[in-house]
Amino acid sequence: MTKIKVGFGFDVHQLRQNHPFILGGVNLEHTSGAYGHSDADVMLHAICDALLGAANLRDIGYHFSNKDDRWKGISSHVLLQHVVTMLAEKGWQIGNIDAMVCLEAPKINPHIPAMQANIAQAAGISTDDISIKATTNEQLGFIGREEGVVAYAVCLIERKAD
């Protein structure tokens, strides 16, 4: 018998002018980018939180504190690899990942295949098991004013039951 669990993740970062915008491991051309302690990849952070939550391993801030200089400027791809290792140590395998990003610009549709490939490589799963979607906030609130970006993710993890 297989045990399955579902996790949910959320992340938000402010946008700053003339700052790199890394999303799903892809450097997007834009006038502003997400700002944070690491590379501020809001999508990968939400995915990490979904995976950690599903496995009852707390959250990304617990494992990769923004007060710890070891994680300053680190690629979120590396953080995702660490999370996948933590899950594997507990016997969990990733079934699928479904991520949604909410931002006004830039449009991410042309970048989705590259994002899926980056996530698949870090997570050790097929791109067929990674869904990425985007929406705007219809120019409402801090997202609509392009002051921030938000991402959500859900995942399924599984292992043989004890």
Side-chain angles (χ1 to χ4, degrees), residues 105-123:
K107 298 299 183 194
I108 70 160
N109 192 49
H111 306 286
I112 288 175
M115 292 175 182
Q116 288 173 305
N118 289 338
I119 296 165
Q121 190 280 325

Side-chain angles (χ1 to χ4, degrees), residues 17 39 117 122 127 129 159:
Q17 289 292 320
D39 66 2
T127 56
D129 296 320
R159 73 174 174 197

Side-chain angles (χ1 to χ4, degrees), residues 71-120:
W71 312 120
K72 180 94 173 129
I74 195 165
S75 166
S76 297
H77 188 268
V78 173
L79 300 181
L80 180 55
Q81 289 174 320
H82 281 298
V83 168
V84 171
T85 298
M86 285 185 246
L87 266 66
E89 289 170 353
K90 298 288 186 181
W92 292 105
Q93 293 182 311
I94 300 170
N96 76 304
I97 295 168
D98 186 2
M100 163 82 67
V101 63
C102 186
L103 75 168
E104 295 299 318
K107 298 299 183 194
I108 70 160
N109 192 49
H111 306 286
I112 288 175
M115 292 175 182
Q116 288 173 305
N118 289 338
I119 296 165

Side-chain angles (χ1 to χ4, degrees), residues 9-85:
F10 166 84
D11 197 35
V12 60
H13 281 279
Q14 64 178 292
L15 294 175
R16 289 201 179 166
Q17 289 292 320
N18 302 314
H19 194 75
F21 199 164
I22 311 296
L23 189 65
V26 174
N27 192 353
L28 303 176
E29 293 289 326
H30 194 53
T31 58
S32 60
Y35 179 79
H37 186 72
S38 66
D39 66 2
D41 189 328
V42 69
M43 182 184 298
L44 294 189
H45 292 183
I47 291 169
C48 286
D49 264 348
L51 293 167
L52 289 166
N56 195 23
L57 293 173
R58 304 209 38 182
D59 61 41
I60 192 171
Y62 178 80
H63 294 282
F64 311 109
S65 171
N66 63 6
K67 307 277 190 260
D68 188 336
D69 285 341
R70 288 181 299 165
W71 312 120
K72 180 94 173 129
I74 195 165
S75 166
S76 297
H77 188 268
V78 173
L79 300 181
L80 180 55
Q81 289 174 320
H82 281 298
V83 168
V84 171
T85 298

Side-chain angles (χ1 to χ4, degrees), residues 100-104 133-138 143:
M100 163 82 67
V101 63
C102 186
L103 75 168
E104 295 299 318
K133 303 171 301 301
T135 190
T136 69
N137 216 43
E138 299 296 332
I143 296 169

